[in-house]
Amino acid sequence: MRIVTDSGIDLLFPSERLAELDIHVVPLDGQSFRENVDIQSDEFYRLLAATDSLPTTSQPSVGDFAELYRQLATSDPDILSIHMTSGLSGTLNAAQAGAKLVPEANITFVDTKTLSAAAGWQVEAAARALKARWPMRQVLALLERIGAASDSAYTLQELKYLIHGGRISHMKGLIASILNLKPLIGVEKVNGTYVQLGQERSFKRAVRGLVDRIAERHALGSALRVQVLHSQNPQGAAMLRELVDQRFDCTWLPVGPMSLVLGAHTGPSMVGVAYAPAAVFADIP
């Protein structure tokens, strides 16, 4: 069985590992760029800082999915298509519409109800389980278990990109900027949409606030699987990683850049953390 996903889901391992796990990533398209095809992270943020006409990313087209499904179905009609939350993107809808154009494919869809690293954990777990020849019902149960156990939280230093992108109203954003408020943002599990977890008056306090949110769900010293990502803020990511490591028994996944689908709306200052009990992943091959 082949796996299809999209670049709103972060998988921080080399392309040869993707091939080994038989994971196929459809890039997020935009008015100007396709993520990691026409533009890479550093160049994207350079353009973001240099222009008032913001480069954007959006969902892949129906045709993109149909083309990939058709190609994969020539060698294996069974496909597991796992996507970033439908609460924040129409990517899943585009994938389902693309599947209707490829009747020869037998496609199972999964809405992760999240994005970035936490969604990437579901994709990798599915790939490993399928390589170990788990039946589909067991794989889907595994993804449901991981989704229920995993959480994400984000903060950022600059609000101007959220304001310019219309993610918060200009006046509300202006007031927050004047007061130097930094939002703490999570992803709720029912619809997979953003929720505000709180706000702090400085970026350092906001980063500490992210760690406090983890402590609200997990006792200090708990054994956790953790991954820190950032849009283009390695210093902030390092600070977040250190603070988490001080309070929990962490199994760390690589720190790295998050998808441009986040960065396009938040700018280069975003940091985020995905976390879950380590025991949830113990039986994954």
Side-chain angles (χ1 to χ4, degrees), residues 62 78 88 122-124 128 147 167 169 213 245 247 255:
V62 172
D78 294 321
L88 295 173
Q122 293 188 43
V123 173
E124 183 178 7
R128 290 178 178 275
R167 295 288 167 163
S169 71
R213 295 306 178 278
D245 211 31
R247 298 173 71 175
V255 176

Side-chain angles (χ1 to χ4, degrees), residues 149-155 182-187 195-201 204-220 222 224 240 243-244 247-248 272-276:
S150 303
D151 289 282
S152 298
Y154 306 88
T155 192
K182 314 302 181 189
L184 309 180
I185 303 165
V187 182
V195 290
Q196 186 166 339
L197 304 175
Q199 57 190 24
E200 296 290 349
R201 290 191 173 272
K204 286 185 178 181
R205 290 179 64 174
V207 171
R208 293 191 189 100
L210 297 183
V211 186
D212 291 339
R213 295 306 178 278
I214 301 175
E216 289 174 2
R217 292 187 57 85
H218 302 284
L220 297 183
S222 294
L224 301 180
L240 176 55
L243 290 173
V244 174
R247 298 173 71 175
F248 302 97
V273 58
Y275 57 96

Side-chain angles (χ1 to χ4, degrees), residues 4-6 26 28 58-66 69 81-102 107-113 191:
V4 170
T5 189
D6 59 78
V26 179
L28 287 133
S58 62
Q59 70 198 42
S61 71
V62 172
D64 290 336
F65 281 110
Y69 292 148
S81 205
I82 306 173
H83 298 288
M84 67 177 291
T85 171
S86 60
L88 295 173
S89 170
T91 299
L92 178 61
N93 288 338
Q96 291 170 330
K100 292 178 181 178
L101 302 177
V102 192
I107 304 171
T108 302
F109 292 96
V110 173
D111 184 347
T112 63
K113 299 293 186 181
N191 298 306

Side-chain angles (χ1 to χ4, degrees), residues 201-275:
R201 290 191 173 272
S202 73
F203 181 69
K204 286 185 178 181
R205 290 179 64 174
V207 171
R208 293 191 189 100
L210 297 183
V211 186
D212 291 339
R213 295 306 178 278
I214 301 175
E216 289 174 2
R217 292 187 57 85
H218 302 284
L220 297 183
S222 294
L224 301 180
R225 168 189 263 227
V226 191
Q227 189 164 22
V228 168
L229 300 181
H230 61 94
S231 51
Q232 200 181 43
N233 189 355
Q235 295 85 2
M239 176 170 58
L240 176 55
R241 189 188 191 283
E242 181 179 357
L243 290 173
V244 174
D245 211 31
Q246 290 172 3
R247 298 173 71 175
F248 302 97
D249 177 13
C250 299
T251 299
W252 283 104
L253 277 74
V255 176
M258 64 177 61
S259 168
L260 300 184
V261 72
L262 288 177
H265 299 296
T266 64
S269 67
M270 175 84 103
V271 297
V273 58
Y275 57 96

